Amino acid sequence: MSKNDEDGCACAGDAVRAQDDPAYRRALWIVVILNIGFGLCEIIGGFVADSQALKADALDFLGDGSITLIGLFALGWTALARSRVALVQGIFLGLLGIGVIGFAIWRAMSPGMPEAGIMGVIGFVALGINIASAYVLSQFRDGDANVQAIWLFSRNDAIANVAVIGAAGLVAWTGKAWPDIAVAAVIAMLFIHSAYQIIQNAVAEMQLQNA
């Protein structure tokens, strides 16, 4: 491939290219549809299975889809505005993580027995959806804080789904509810860690742009 060909392709996560590239916008729409659509299905499955891990993962899907949609609209905004959007994305993710931890603590005080079979099936379907989302976004994972935030949300989803599948296996093996609650807490901690990364990047960009 020639240098000109490399410059014209969308493989290197260039922030400006990601902003203007129609392929990136199509990728974002795919992620929005997959995440919001499946998130609505998974939240129902979480209540049917009485699984806190599934409910936490469903919130991650819905939050991911909503934040990605906001990020999609923000592509046409100024660099400073996109950094502010990324800051809001990070704060939202952090609050979501804190909320999940609080709910997991409350649930631990009156644990019920989740349906391991339903957890496992939904977990595998969710993993497939997240692998697809991560794949379409993987070539755009480097860029400004807004681009990185969207990538981190999708990466978190895939990791969370592996954890949900593991929790389903442990619930079936032990006959106890604690793996489900523990995985919900781990997912929440992943939210908070990524929120810190997103906020840190957004603040750094805002300071640079205001300098």
Side-chain angles (χ1 to χ4, degrees), residues 72-175:
L72 178 62
F73 294 147
L75 289 178
W77 299 350
T78 65
L80 181 59
R82 291 199 307 275
S83 296
R84 288 172 176 165
V85 167
L87 180 62
V88 172
Q89 290 170 328
I91 293 171
F92 172 82
L93 185 59
L95 291 174
L96 188 61
I98 293 171
V100 171
I101 288 177
F103 193 75
I105 293 172
W106 172 81
R107 194 67 175 84
M109 296 177 182
S110 56
M113 187 62 184
E115 292 288 340
I118 297 176
M119 285 178 64
V121 170
I122 294 178
F124 274 109
V125 175
L127 180 60
I129 289 176
N130 277 319
I131 289 174
S133 296
Y135 174 75
V136 299
L137 287 176
S138 61
Q139 60 183 332
F140 304 105
R141 62 182 178 272
D142 299 320
D144 63 16
N146 184 51
V147 172
Q148 291 175 23
I150 292 171
W151 162 250
L152 283 173
F153 268 76
S154 293
R155 186 206 64 180
N156 286 354
D157 282 345
I159 295 173
N161 290 143
V162 173
V164 168
I165 293 169
L170 287 173
V171 167
W173 182 44
T174 64

Side-chain angles (χ1 to χ4, degrees), residues 48-83:
V48 171
D50 195 22
S51 167
Q52 306 316 306
L54 283 182
K55 292 173 186 176
D57 192 45
L59 289 176
D60 191 22
F61 266 102
L62 293 172
D64 190 5
S66 300
I67 292 298
T68 302
L69 183 61
I70 295 172
L72 178 62
F73 294 147
L75 289 178
W77 299 350
T78 65
L80 181 59
R82 291 199 307 275
S83 296

Side-chain angles (χ1 to χ4, degrees), residues 23-43:
Y24 183 54
R25 293 179 179 273
R26 286 195 297 271
L28 292 185
W29 276 116
I30 291 171
V31 171
V32 168
I33 293 170
L34 287 177
N35 279 274
I36 293 181
F38 187 78
L40 293 173
C41 296
E42 190 176 25
I43 195 70

